[in-house]
């Protein structure tokens, strides 16, 4: 569900259902702030929501130090999935698993590692679009010392 926050300074922040954030600040001084902010919010909402594709499951996975959040993700076989994997940790993470072999478009943010894994630098992100057949897919971080950093995607 999209959420919208508006402060008294005229800054509107919208977070859409697919995880896209957008912030706008009104700079006009000829109108009351609430009129400008309301119109900015409507424009912002339209722009962000149009970027979300309702025919795609959008999932955000945070790669933190030694864990994935969420560690269990459920997807549908009926539509493609867009996985946004964000490295919130202090070290590089390399995701590997059979699920990523079903990628349709790894996107420009993906840094392929040897063997088909996805390498993400600290503070970085990767967006992968895929359609996978029904099944349970395990993924893990291949970085030495991260052996217990695992996750599961169930496609039903």
């Amino acid at each position: 569900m999209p959420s919208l926050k508006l402060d008294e300074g005229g800054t509107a922040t919208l977070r859409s259902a697919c995880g896209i954030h957008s912030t706008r600040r009104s700079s006009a001084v000829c109108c009351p702030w609430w009129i400008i902010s309301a119109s900015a919010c409507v424009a912002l909402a339209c722009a962000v929501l149009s970027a979300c594709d309702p025919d795609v499951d959008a999932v955000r996975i945070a790669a933190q130090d030694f864990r994935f959040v969420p560690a269990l993700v459920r997807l549908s076989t009926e539509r493609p999935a867009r996985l946004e994997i964000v490295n919130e940790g202090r070290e590089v993470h390399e995701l590997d698993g059979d699920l990523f072999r079903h990628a349709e478009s790894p996107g420009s943010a993906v840094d392929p590692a040897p063997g088909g894994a996805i390498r993400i630098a600290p503070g970085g992100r990767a967006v992968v679009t895929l359609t996978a057949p029904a099944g349970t897919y395990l993924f893990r971080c291949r970085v030495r010392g991260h052996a217990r950093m695992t996750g599961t995607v169930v496609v039903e």
Side-chain angles (χ1 to χ4, degrees):
M1 186 78 176
S3 65
L4 180 66
K5 291 184 180 180
L6 180 64
D7 69 16
E8 292 181 10
T11 301
T13 303
L14 179 70
R15 180 178 175 89
S16 71
C18 65
I20 298 174
H21 307 273
S22 195
T23 304
R24 288 278 162 96
R25 178 167 175 76
S26 172
S27 60
V29 293
C30 62
C31 299
W33 70 269
W34 57 271
I35 292 174
I36 295 166
S37 296
S39 62
C41 289
V42 170
L44 184 60
C46 290
V48 170
L49 293 176
S50 66
C52 297
D53 185 350
D55 296 328
V56 174
D57 286 335
V59 177
R60 182 182 188 275
I61 299 172
Q64 299 174 345
D65 292 325
F66 308 108
R67 69 180 181 161
F68 293 106
V69 178
L72 174 64
V73 174
R74 294 190 180 277
L75 300 175
S76 171
T77 58
E78 297 176 5
R79 48 187 180 271
R82 180 178 28 234
L83 302 178
E84 177 186 25
I85 306 149
V86 181
N87 185 346
E88 295 179 351
R90 294 172 287 185
E91 299 182 28
V92 169
H93 293 293
E94 284 187 13
L95 279 72
D96 189 22
D98 289 338
L99 178 71
F100 302 114
R101 290 168 183 49
H102 297 284
E104 295 169 0
S105 73
S108 59
V110 173
D111 179 14
I118 299 170
R119 177 181 295 133
I120 308 171
R125 71 182 191 99
V127 177
V128 179
T129 302
L130 54 89
T131 302
T136 300
Y137 299 89
L138 303 177
F139 62 95
R140 66 183 180 97
C141 180
R142 293 191 331 182
V143 172
R144 185 177 176 150
H146 294 197
R148 293 189 177 160
M149 188 174 177
T150 62
T152 305
V153 175
V154 177
V155 181
E156 314 177 290

